[in-house]
Amino acid sequence: MTLEILDAHPSPSAHLDAIKAVVEAALDCVQCCTSCADACLAEDGEMDLAHCIRTDLDCADVCAATATVVVRQTQPSTDLVRAQVQACKAACETCAASCEEHAETHEHCRICAECCRTCADACDRLLAAL
Amino acid sequence: MTLEILDAHPSPSAHLDAIKAVVEAALDCVQCCTSCADACLAEDGEMDLAHCIRTDLDCADVCAATATVVVRQTQPSTDLVRAQVQACKAACETCAASCEEHAETHEHCRICAECCRTCADACDRLLAAL
Amino acid sequence: MTLEILDAHPSPSAHLDAIKAVVEAALDCVQCCTSCADACLAEDGEMDLAHCIRTDLDCADVCAATATVVVRQTQPSTDLVRAQVQACKAACETCAASCEEHAETHEHCRICAECCRTCADACDRLLAAL
Amino acid sequence: MTLEILDAHPSPSAHLDAIKAVVEAALDCVQCCTSCADACLAEDGEMDLAHCIRTDLDCADVCAATATVVVRQTQPSTDLVRAQVQACKAACETCAASCEEHAETHEHCRICAECCRTCADACDRLLAAL
């Protein structure tokens, strides 16, 4: 990820390392959650993956919005950044918990849960820094 | 907006009217905030619209994610819905406040602020119902 | 939809009516396709809705991007607008065809197919005007 | 980027390496173009960056939709994938050309142009494989 572009911003934030970690993890979650939902759709069998797909889709959408809000450095609103990062943490924890139930059966669920935990941790560290 | 599709869901939520209002208002905000940011870019003159553009872009992204999370009725996580709707309310209030500063000079800012206030109110009503 | 904000743009396009129709139809598709995918997930029974869900998700994503590209009036690239509107038409036609297979069984598929056909028609009219 | 999740899909595509390259490059473009638009907003001075910001915003939106469409492996529509990847290539080439005009003055424009060229190349290779 070409995160050094953030170092070229004319007025970067004080918490640039924590921000970069959220941006990277959130965009990785967009990809993992979209892929996991799609792989769940293609699975045969009786296991009910509807809840897993639903949490994947929510998590992908929330992470995409969080990445773009957090990447912006120009005159940010701390209240909005905090609220969106909290929503992102909630989305990632919900999705991780759902994917972990299928982690032993489906490798894509195991990988996706790991992506989501990484992003939830990055959100936590940014929330602590704000 | 073809919101009657939500009435065709096999397991609709208890708060369907409040949900429909958020979905409609949030997608209207995606359009208004994207258009206002773009119109601000095309304005001549010395007024600094950078803050207005930034809050427009955040609001469009957050409202888009909120609309899709809230539209989903299958096994929702109330914690995530609440957190995302709170972030949406924060985004709309931030953007409305910024656009209101230019509402007398720029008609697109006046309209966009109104869109955002409508969406913030819809978020409030859904938060009260959850 | 607060489409009069486009009339307040300092340098509006020549094809504003065709543009407004695409913006409105594409955002309606974001909502219909997201809702149809979610309703499909909640359906019991043996019918295979995986293809329908997949085309719904693609259509929602492509329509969202198309709406924001088309709403922007400031120094547009006609090549990009044309390519994105063509992709939108392809997404809507693919999704409509898939939903139409289930339209008699699932009301949400019937409504979603109608949304997608409306958007494909709006794309056609804008492509003819460009 | 956790692209090995695509290897865990129950029915992966024939062109998985070309697909992975587009997904990675497109999500990198979402981040670069969002960051470049935001950095342009914060720049002082007389240079007109409106066109650069506009192409950045389009490119971020189109790349985000392309990444999720391309990541999905379940029963894809080749027509839609091709149309969306062509739109992505157009968005990246438009944005790269605009950013290259400012590459000597603004490091974020130089980095963003490079991101966009990488993504346009990945799109070309996937189009050749389809």
Side-chain angles (χ1 to χ4, degrees), chain A residues 68-77 80-81, chain B residues 37 49-60 95 98, chain D residues 38 41:
Chain A
T68 56
V69 168
V70 168
V71 101
R72 292 187 188 108
Q73 305 295 303
T74 303
Q75 305 181 49
S77 154
L80 169 54
V81 172
Chain B
L49 294 169
H51 186 245
C52 194
I53 294 172
R54 193 253 142 94
T55 61
D56 278 332
L57 297 176
D58 279 356
C59 196
C95 188
S98 176
Chain D
D38 177 67
L41 270 187

Side-chain angles (χ1 to χ4, degrees), chain D residues 13-59:
Chain D
S13 155
H15 316 296
L16 212 52
D17 286 343
I19 284 169
K20 285 178 181 177
V22 170
V23 172
E24 183 157 36
L27 288 174
D28 203 26
C29 258
V30 171
Q31 180 257 322
C32 279
C33 293
T34 305
S35 188
C36 184
D38 177 67
C40 286
L41 270 187
E43 295 290 352
D44 293 325
E46 292 155 55
M47 185 179 286
D48 181 18
L49 294 169
H51 186 246
C52 193
I53 294 172
R54 193 252 143 96
T55 61
D56 278 333
L57 296 176
D58 279 356
C59 196

Side-chain angles (χ1 to χ4, degrees), chain D residues 55-121:
Chain D
T55 61
D56 278 333
L57 296 176
D58 279 356
C59 196
D61 290 345
V62 171
C63 285
T66 305
T68 57
V69 168
V70 169
V71 102
R72 293 188 186 106
Q73 304 296 303
T74 303
Q75 305 180 50
S77 153
T78 306
D79 282 355
L80 168 55
V81 171
R82 186 178 289 115
Q84 186 57 46
V85 174
Q86 277 167 338
C88 190
K89 187 187 161 188
C92 288
E93 287 177 346
T94 304
C95 188
S98 176
C99 281
E100 279 157 5
E101 291 175 31
H102 312 289
E104 292 193 14
T105 324
H106 297 310
E107 176 70 0
H108 49 84
C109 289
R110 191 195 62 74
I111 296 172
C112 187
E114 216 173 271
C115 262
C116 292
R117 292 289 176 205
T118 301
C119 189
D121 287 350

Side-chain angles (χ1 to χ4, degrees), chain A residues 17-99:
Chain A
D17 286 343
I19 284 167
K20 285 177 181 178
V22 169
V23 171
E24 183 156 38
L27 289 173
D28 203 26
C29 258
V30 171
Q31 181 259 322
C32 280
C33 293
T34 304
S35 188
C36 184
D38 177 67
C40 286
L41 270 186
E43 294 290 352
D44 293 327
E46 293 156 53
M47 185 180 287
D48 180 17
L49 294 169
H51 186 245
C52 193
I53 294 172
R54 193 254 142 94
T55 61
D56 277 333
L57 297 176
D58 279 356
C59 196
D61 290 344
V62 171
C63 284
T66 305
T68 56
V69 168
V70 168
V71 101
R72 292 187 188 108
Q73 305 295 303
T74 303
Q75 305 181 49
S77 154
T78 308
D79 281 356
L80 169 54
V81 172
R82 187 178 288 116
Q84 187 56 46
V85 174
Q86 278 166 338
C88 190
K89 188 188 161 187
C92 289
E93 288 178 344
T94 303
C95 188
S98 176
C99 282

Side-chain angles (χ1 to χ4, degrees), chain B:
Chain B
M1 190 124 292
T2 318
L3 292 160
E4 70 269 19
I5 196 170
L6 281 162
D7 300 315
H9 196 284
S11 56
S13 155
H15 315 295
L16 213 51
D17 285 344
I19 284 168
K20 285 178 182 178
V22 169
V23 171
E24 182 156 38
L27 288 174
D28 203 26
C29 258
V30 171
Q31 181 258 321
C32 278
C33 293
T34 304
S35 188
C36 184
D38 177 67
C40 285
L41 270 186
E43 294 291 351
D44 293 325
E46 293 155 55
M47 186 179 287
D48 179 19
L49 294 169
H51 186 245
C52 194
I53 294 172
R54 193 253 142 94
T55 61
D56 278 332
L57 297 176
D58 279 356
C59 196
D61 291 344
V62 171
C63 284
T66 305
T68 56
V69 168
V70 168
V71 102
R72 293 187 187 108
Q73 304 296 303
T74 303
Q75 306 180 50
S77 154
T78 307
D79 281 356
L80 168 55
V81 172
R82 185 178 290 116
Q84 187 56 47
V85 175
Q86 277 167 338
C88 190
K89 188 188 160 186
C92 289
E93 288 177 346
T94 303
C95 188
S98 176
C99 282
E100 280 158 4
E101 290 175 31
H102 313 289
E104 292 193 14
T105 323
H106 297 310
E107 177 69 0
H108 50 82
C109 289
R110 191 195 63 74
I111 295 172
C112 187
E114 215 172 273
C115 263
C116 291
R117 292 290 175 204
T118 300
C119 190
D121 287 350
C123 289
D124 259 339
R125 283 192 300 273
L126 179 55
L127 289 169
L130 287 177

Side-chain angles (χ1 to χ4, degrees), chain A residues 109-123:
Chain A
C109 289
R110 190 194 63 72
I111 295 171
C112 187
E114 215 172 272
C115 262
C116 292
R117 292 289 176 204
T118 301
C119 190
D121 287 350
C123 290

Side-chain angles (χ1 to χ4, degrees), chain B residues 2 9 28 34 38 73-74, chain C residues 2 9 28 34 38 71 73-74:
Chain B
T2 318
H9 196 284
D28 203 26
T34 304
D38 177 67
Q73 304 296 303
T74 303
Chain C
T2 318
H9 195 286
D28 204 24
T34 305
D38 177 68
V71 101
Q73 304 296 302
T74 304

